[in-house]
Amino acid sequence: MLNSRRRFDGGQRLANDATAWTVVVPVKGTADAKSRLDASPELATAIALDTVSAALAVTRVIVVTSPQAMPMFSKLGAEVMLDLGGGLNQAIEEGVAAAGDSPVAVLLGDLPSLAGPELAAALNQAGSYPRAMVPDADGVGTVLITAQRGSTHEPAFGGQSRQAHLDAGYVELSIPPSSGLRRDVDTAEQLNQLAASLRLGERTAAASANPRSTSLPPLAHTKVVMNETMNPSRRLISDAVSRAEVTGMTDVSDAEILFSARGDELERLLVLASGLRDEGLAHSGRPGVITYSKKVFVPITKLCRDRCHYCVFVETPSKLAAKGEPMFMSPEEILNVARTGAELGCKEALFTLGDRPEDRWPAAREWLARHGYASTLEYIRAMAIRVLEETGLLPHLNPGVLSWAELQRLRPVAPSMGMMLETTSVRLWAEKGRAHYGSPDKDPALRLRVLDDAGRSRIPFTTGVLLGIGENNADRAESLFAIRAVHERHGHIQETIVQNFRAKQQTAMQNESDLGLLEYVAAVAVTRLVMGPEASVQAPPNLTDKTELALLVRAGIDDWGGVSPLTADHVNPERPWPYIDDLARLTLEAGYELRERLTVHPQYIADEGTWIDERIQPHVKALAHPSSSLAIEQAPALGKPWSKAAQRPSAPPLKGDIASILLRASRNPSGLADSEYIRLLETDQIELDALCVFADEVRHDAVGNDITYVVNRNIDAALFNPHHAGPAGTSGPTLSLPMLRSLVDEARTLGASEVCVQGGMPAEVLATGYFELVGAIRAQQPDLHIHAYRPAEILDGASRLGISVQEFLQALKERGLDSIPGTGARILDDRIRGELSGQTDPPVSDWVEVIKTAHSVGLKSTATMVFGHIESPAEQVAHLRTLISIQDTSGGFTEFIPMPILPADVPASLAGVSRPGPDLREIRAVHAVARLMLNGRLDNVQTAWTKLGLATSQTVLRGGANDFGGLLLDGTVWPEAGPEANRTLSVADVEQIAAEMGRTIRQRTTDYGSVLPLAGAAQARS
């Protein structure tokens, strides 16, 4: 992860100075990188290291790569970022976004003969152009692209990428074909040819002479490098501490070293960490305060489908039976624990359980079915509601790995949730005998996805690391930086727990040593450096001897986590909680006051509209201090009714201009002046409530009470290669024809009536691939509706084929295309589109031409608007006016989809200028005004649930929207083949949302006709 607080100030240098540039190098972090190089990951590693070394001789370098590969590039002096696994273009976007305000070059990492002066010369040339590129020696591919400040990259790397970049407006620089900058290698034969004419880099030369040498660590086996730094010299440690003392932070390479700090170096580290903590506490308005949560521990079930080698919590059905314990705690047992805890002053009910036990144990399935629950998560949700209503305790849910949809379902019943990341070490999960082997839910990629989905869902989330289970210091550093990275994207990690391993009897790791005290203390201090002064760093007080807790305070913790006066720590039953009075005394002896907080941390309570579902806001407010948002320690926890759905606002009596505008709108909702719609977009509180009630009435009159939805499946065209020979049923980075057929067959079996295709055709695939993809779907499943290709892709295909947009669309229609998505509209204003895209978006006139032409040849489309960034209410109204003009002419729009921009999607170049996405007020106003303006012309207003989340979607369905959009089935053949993979809903989800509102649902076709459920459609319900 790039240390964003130590960014290069490119604004102080001239753009035609090579040192003013930031060079981003994406590097694959697995053994398949350059796998054709005699299948030698060592050689691929050497080439990447030589490329980065040459670039570092010139300027600042950011390498985007895997956690395992980050340390070696950091040691070279490069800044490193975690590759989130979304492919080359996403890796490039991550690096470019982190580059700050400097001009940015993207350099491929396979240039073993690159010399620093060659790169410097190219960057000096590039300073004269907004965007420039350097082709490979064959003149077909691309090795370097550059963009000045104010310009945005549009990467299109691949076999035909030279032409693609030229078409995108990149100027080709004058670099001789003999230059090492143009000599990339894909095969051993190319490397041999290169060695005959140019000097290879030092590492490449050594590795090619002995391709199996272990002197160079392969990307897929960085254990060699990590072990070499497990015991760094005292000089290395001292230097790392010195750098942290100067900057107040650390990077992944220094963090790895700092875990080994002992003696004087550890003392310096503790002083630094403690100072950072105190800085953060002062900034938050709580100087000198360390917090804890008074809780009860509720072990809902000890069954689990995982087999962690250190866990004593998990039991089998036979062991539970032998002990006379039930499969699950009954509702009465859960409530008795919660009620007793409330009597003792507790305010949190920690729900802990094993991951999805019904997937492994028939007895668990039987218990759930017997008690009327389809899953453990459904039972958890029901019990959380009962705890809220009958005891007043606030549930904190730890049910393990959850999907995006499952997080959404649980958000309305708990103000916070959690899941320990534990480690990013794949080795501990994949290798037999390691701590996580045989545990499907401990896949680091899966757990990182949960953290990301929790952030997208705006859930205050607890996570952390578990130290001493076989990971090394590099693993520890990578894990912490991964947590920091996801928090920087979403701001939702409310606390990072640093937990020390304690060996337990009757486990596979019972003979392993506990994590040493000083090793643990150093790790806590490093965590504070990585996470920063304002983060909350927690250490469980029962896992360290009382006499040693002061060391953890000195290491920078600001929170002790949950402490129970009633229940044991069922995960660590041999370690009792300290008495709260003792903990307060020990904290005071360390120089701090112990204060009680709630399960959700104060900053999220202070911004409850963003972070806490309105259905549980009354429960939280009853226990939170109005100024500090900490717990009111003497406040009793009292049960309160929980509403199944956020209440529809009533129509309050109004006076003034809004009352007059709404009166006029009641006669003709679409007949107001633009100035009046702008005024409505600015409403808030009771005026906004009145607007939304009126918009909902207009919705009812226009389309009735049904909430409509379509069963569909997304496919990413950017993965398509019709000539790839991959067999059906295999997953991988390429979408072959056999795989495509398997996906559409599965979608049909699951009840889909639509396949939605998004994304441009890869540069290495001919533009006729647009036709081949549609034709293959139509041939395989003649009855599926094909909804494919945004205006940008249509312009790309027509341009590459040298035909008109009309000819291209007509050809697609002849091959089976039924409709197109009208996305990519952003705001239909050229200034705004240019600023959002770095001048890479096609002009408004081109977008409009594609849509009108599609309608003219009989292809209907959706209409969209991305809002909440730099546009004004007047520009939102103007956008809607443009859509109305098109609709009046063609009648080809089927629905309007207002799409809020997400904070993570706001371009870095607009930081401090753009809004970080719309707030709930703006979201409600935009949907309501859209309903009025479009009335009688475009009657379907859709909620963009993947961006809004389920609770906000429900809110706008009460304020003008009527359609829920597509369910986005993932299936099991290859879920990641869709651009919004792992965000899918079931019919049951839509039914529940509608039922909570007193509404009915109706499955529709893409063009809003009625659908009879298909054979197999029941599978889409679960």
Side-chain angles (χ1 to χ4, degrees):
M1 172 64 201
L2 174 69
N3 194 326
S4 60
R5 291 171 286 171
R6 191 193 292 171
R7 285 187 172 170
F8 170 85
D9 185 6
Q12 303 303 314
R13 301 185 182 181
L14 297 174
N16 61 358
D17 174 3
T19 61
W21 291 82
T22 295
V23 174
V24 174
V25 184
V27 177
K28 270 191 176 181
T30 60
D32 63 354
K34 295 296 174 190
S35 59
R36 286 171 287 174
L37 288 165
D38 288 337
S40 170
E42 291 86 356
L43 189 54
T45 301
I47 292 172
L49 289 169
D50 279 335
T51 303
V52 172
S53 293
L56 282 167
V58 178
T59 190
R60 175 199 186 198
V61 176
I62 299 172
V63 177
V64 185
T65 189
S66 72
Q68 292 83 2
M70 291 169 73
M72 67 179 74
F73 292 105
S74 182
K75 287 181 177 61
L76 288 179
E79 298 172 50
V80 291
M81 289 190 67
L82 179 65
D83 183 353
L84 298 178
L88 177 63
N89 285 340
Q90 180 176 324
I92 290 171
E93 290 172 5
E94 292 161 9
V96 169
D101 60 358
S102 66
V104 183
V106 178
L107 178 70
L108 294 192
D110 54 359
L111 301 166
S113 292
L114 176 65
E118 294 172 325
L119 177 61
L123 294 178
N124 286 334
Q125 276 191 51
S128 302
Y129 307 101
R131 298 200 300 187
M133 53 84 68
V134 175
D136 61 17
D138 296 329
V140 177
T142 308
V143 295
L144 178 77
I145 57 174
T146 67
Q148 290 279 15
R149 302 179 189 89
S151 295
T152 300
H153 274 299
E154 191 174 346
F157 285 99
Q160 304 290 327
S161 62
R162 173 182 177 271
Q163 188 59 51
H165 285 121
L166 291 174
D167 292 344
Y170 287 85
V171 175
E172 186 168 315
L173 299 178
S174 179
I175 304 295
S178 60
S179 169
L181 177 57
R182 294 186 60 178
R183 302 293 294 275
D184 63 326
V185 297
D186 290 306
T187 66
E189 181 181 359
Q190 288 178 337
L191 185 63
N192 292 335
Q193 292 172 351
L194 183 60
S197 58
L198 288 177
R199 178 178 175 273
L200 296 178
E202 179 180 352
R203 298 170 184 82
T204 305
S208 59
N210 182 12
R212 296 290 178 245
S213 169
T214 57
S215 61
L216 283 169
L219 294 183
H221 300 87
T222 53
K223 176 171 61 176
V224 177
V225 174
M226 297 175 191
N227 286 342
E228 288 174 356
T229 59
M230 283 294 284
N231 295 297
S233 69
R234 186 170 181 179
R235 172 64 181 275
L236 278 176
I237 298 170
S238 181
D239 289 348
V241 175
S242 295
R243 286 188 288 273
E245 287 170 335
V246 170
T247 62
M249 63 195 72
T250 189
D251 60 21
V252 69
S253 181
D254 275 1
E256 179 184 350
I257 294 170
L258 289 171
F259 283 113
S260 298
R262 302 292 184 271
D264 291 345
E265 287 72 32
L266 177 58
E267 178 64 27
R268 292 164 59 196
L269 184 62
L270 297 182
V271 170
L272 176 58
S274 193
L276 285 173
R277 183 264 322 282
D278 292 347
E279 175 189 334
L281 289 176
H283 186 264
S284 68
R286 298 192 305 277
V289 170
I290 289 178
T291 51
Y292 80 105
S293 175
K294 201 171 186 179
K295 72 176 182 184
V296 292
F297 196 123
V298 186
I300 302 291
T301 178
K302 295 182 179 180
L303 299 176
C304 182
R305 70 175 180 178
D306 293 322
R307 299 172 173 86
C308 298
H309 295 193
Y310 48 76
C311 183
V312 76
F313 174 76
V314 169
E315 301 277 12
T316 64
S318 60
K319 288 183 178 179
L320 289 174
K323 295 178 181 180
E325 295 183 20
M327 301 294 165
F328 290 78
M329 290 181 72
S330 69
E332 293 73 21
E333 290 171 323
I334 293 169
L335 291 170
N336 283 340
V337 170
R339 289 190 189 102
T340 305
E343 292 170 1
L344 294 173
C346 296
K347 299 174 183 64
E348 172 189 344
L350 170 64
F351 282 32
T352 298
L353 58 149
D355 280 75
R356 304 179 193 274
E358 65 271 30
D359 287 359
R360 180 181 177 190
W361 302 111
R365 291 194 296 273
E366 293 165 5
W367 189 97
L368 290 165
R370 192 165 60 251
H371 289 80
Y373 299 100
S375 68
T376 299
L377 295 181
E378 187 177 306
Y379 183 53
I380 290 297
R381 190 179 194 274
M383 292 304 99
I385 293 171
R386 291 197 63 179
V387 166
L388 285 166
E389 291 192 321
E390 299 183 38
T391 75
L393 266 58
L394 303 177
H396 175 85
L397 308 183
N398 278 355
V401 168
L402 299 172
S403 68
W404 181 91
E406 288 164 345
L407 287 162
Q408 292 286 317
R409 292 172 201 144
L410 293 175
R411 186 179 187 268
V413 302
S416 62
M417 299 185 214
M419 182 201 71
M420 292 286 283
L421 172 61
E422 297 194 8
T423 179
T424 55
S425 174
V426 176
R427 184 180 69 257
L428 299 189
W429 173 71
E431 293 182 6
K432 190 172 183 178
R434 297 285 187 173
H436 289 152
Y437 185 75
S439 300
D441 298 293
K442 296 302 173 122
D443 178 357
L446 187 62
R447 298 179 86 79
L448 286 170
R449 194 200 77 205
V450 174
L451 297 188
D452 194 67
D453 283 345
R456 289 180 178 276
S457 301
R458 300 293 182 89
I459 295 172
F461 209 74
T462 296
T463 190
V465 291
L466 176 58
L467 306 181
I469 58 172
E471 82 291 346
N472 56 38
N473 285 344
D475 296 329
R476 295 171 182 177
E478 291 154 11
S479 301
L480 290 173
F481 274 88
I483 293 171
R484 187 179 116 180
V486 74
H487 180 67
E488 288 180 342
R489 285 196 298 278
H490 304 297
H492 67 302
I493 301 299
Q494 64 170 3
E495 57 193 330
T496 300
I497 301 172
V498 188
Q499 183 173 336
N500 51 325
F501 167 75
R502 290 281 189 174
K504 296 172 179 61
Q505 294 299 310
Q506 298 181 337
T507 67
M509 295 180 66
Q510 64 181 356
N511 296 321
E512 300 294 327
S513 299
D514 291 352
L515 188 75
L517 174 63
L518 295 183
E519 187 176 3
Y520 181 37
V521 169
V524 173
V526 173
T527 301
R528 171 57 68 190
L529 262 66
V530 172
M531 299 307 297
E534 295 182 13
S536 183
V537 176
Q538 179 193 126
N542 61 316
L543 299 186
T544 302
D545 293 342
K546 292 179 183 179
T547 57
E548 297 164 346
L549 293 181
L551 271 176
L552 295 175
V553 175
R554 294 196 61 217
I557 65 109
D558 65 302
D559 188 78
W560 291 119
V563 179
S564 180
L566 175 65
T567 55
D569 179 352
H570 292 274
V571 174
N572 299 281
E574 80 285 4
R575 305 289 303 189
W577 303 110
Y579 290 112
I580 292 174
D581 287 346
D582 287 347
L583 188 61
R585 175 180 54 78
L586 292 167
T587 304
L588 184 62
E589 290 174 359
Y592 295 83
E593 177 189 2
L594 184 68
R595 293 280 302 278
E596 185 184 355
R597 60 165 173 83
L598 300 180
T599 178
V600 57
H601 282 239
Q603 66 268 34
Y604 301 98
I605 298 174
D607 188 14
E608 64 178 6
T610 299
W611 294 103
I612 302 175
D613 190 283
E614 61 182 298
R615 282 166 276 193
I616 51 174
Q617 287 177 12
H619 300 81
V620 175
K621 286 179 179 177
L623 300 174
H625 193 281
S627 59
S628 70
S629 295
L630 292 170
I632 303 174
E633 298 199 12
Q634 302 308 316
L638 301 173
K640 294 177 180 295
W642 179 86
S643 172
K644 285 187 176 181
Q647 298 301 308
R648 172 179 171 172
S650 58
L654 291 178
K655 296 180 180 179
D657 63 331
I658 295 300
S660 299
I661 292 171
L662 291 180
L663 179 62
R664 286 191 292 276
S666 67
R667 304 185 189 106
N668 182 3
S670 62
L672 300 178
D674 285 0
S675 60
E676 292 175 305
Y677 290 122
I678 292 168
R679 178 69 182 90
L680 291 177
L681 284 169
E682 295 168 343
T683 56
D684 197 2
Q685 299 180 3
I686 64 170
E687 292 181 341
L688 177 59
D689 287 344
L691 167 62
C692 291
V693 168
F694 176 63
D696 200 45
E697 293 169 354
V698 174
R699 182 269 308 160
H700 181 272
D701 292 343
V703 294
N705 222 27
D706 287 344
I707 295 173
T708 50
Y709 68 95
V710 64
V711 180
N712 65 349
R713 203 253 193 254
N714 270 355
I715 290 177
D716 189 352
L719 301 173
F720 185 57
N721 186 337
H723 306 297
H724 183 73
T730 61
S731 63
T734 300
L735 179 61
S736 63
L737 282 171
M739 171 59 77
L740 178 65
R741 296 184 188 108
S742 295
L743 290 172
V744 297
D745 283 347
E746 181 189 44
R748 188 62 167 170
T749 299
L750 293 174
S753 62
E754 172 195 306
V755 168
C756 178
V757 181
Q758 302 182 58
M761 202 54 54
E764 64 270 18
V765 174
L766 295 176
T768 53
Y770 286 109
F771 302 145
E772 291 180 78
L773 194 155
V774 169
I777 296 173
R778 176 60 64 230
Q780 189 70 17
Q781 287 291 343
D783 295 331
L784 272 179
H785 184 107
I786 304 175
H787 183 66
Y789 305 139
R790 300 168 292 191
E793 283 109 47
I794 292 166
L795 290 166
D796 171 67
S799 173
R800 288 167 63 179
L801 290 171
I803 60 178
S804 70
V805 167
Q806 181 171 348
E807 290 170 324
F808 185 74
L809 285 167
Q810 192 66 53
L812 282 169
K813 185 181 179 185
E814 291 169 0
R815 285 163 174 81
L817 183 66
D818 295 301
S819 61
I820 70 170
T823 44
R826 300 188 191 260
I827 293 290
L828 292 173
D829 177 283
D830 283 327
R831 176 192 66 82
I832 295 173
R833 289 167 65 81
E835 290 189 33
L836 287 176
S837 70
Q839 309 303 323
T840 61
D841 268 359
V844 171
S845 57
D846 285 0
W847 188 92
V848 171
E849 178 199 356
V850 171
I851 294 296
K852 285 185 172 180
T853 304
H855 294 176
S856 73
V857 302
L859 296 170
K860 292 190 175 183
S861 76
T862 57
T864 63
M865 178 174 77
V866 177
F867 67 101
H869 39 84
I870 59 174
E871 88 288 0
S872 66
E875 286 158 337
Q876 292 172 350
V877 169
H879 177 99
L880 288 165
R881 284 292 181 205
T882 301
L883 298 180
I884 288 169
S885 175
I886 296 171
Q887 186 74 343
D888 285 346
T889 302
S890 70
F893 287 132
T894 55
E895 72 243 56
F896 173 62
I897 314 170
M899 300 178 175
I901 196 169
L902 299 177
D905 296 333
V906 175
S909 59
L910 296 178
V913 177
S914 170
R915 306 193 295 288
D919 58 15
L920 182 60
R921 184 213 66 78
E922 183 177 1
I923 290 169
R924 294 176 66 200
V926 164
H927 283 77
V929 169
R931 167 58 67 187
L932 304 189
M933 289 187 69
L934 298 173
N935 185 58
R937 293 182 170 98
L938 183 51
D939 286 335
N940 296 301
V941 177
Q942 184 181 121
T943 171
W945 59 264
T946 63
K947 299 179 183 295
L948 293 172
L950 299 188
T952 303
S953 292
Q954 201 172 47
T955 297
V956 299
L957 285 166
R958 280 197 181 84
N962 66 292
D963 184 69
F964 208 78
L967 300 188
L968 305 181
L969 303 177
D970 277 343
T972 59
V973 172
W974 186 14
E976 292 75 18
E980 292 184 288
N982 301 308
R983 266 168 268 167
T984 183
L985 292 179
S986 67
V987 175
D989 291 319
V990 186
E991 283 179 333
Q992 179 176 323
I993 287 166
E996 290 174 351
M997 302 166 61
R999 302 263 289 275
T1000 53
I1001 67 170
R1002 177 175 65 85
Q1003 183 180 349
R1004 62 169 175 87
T1005 62
T1006 306
D1007 55 3
Y1008 285 79
S1010 294
V1011 170
L1012 291 175
L1014 300 168
Q1019 296 180 55
R1021 300 184 63 84
S1022 58

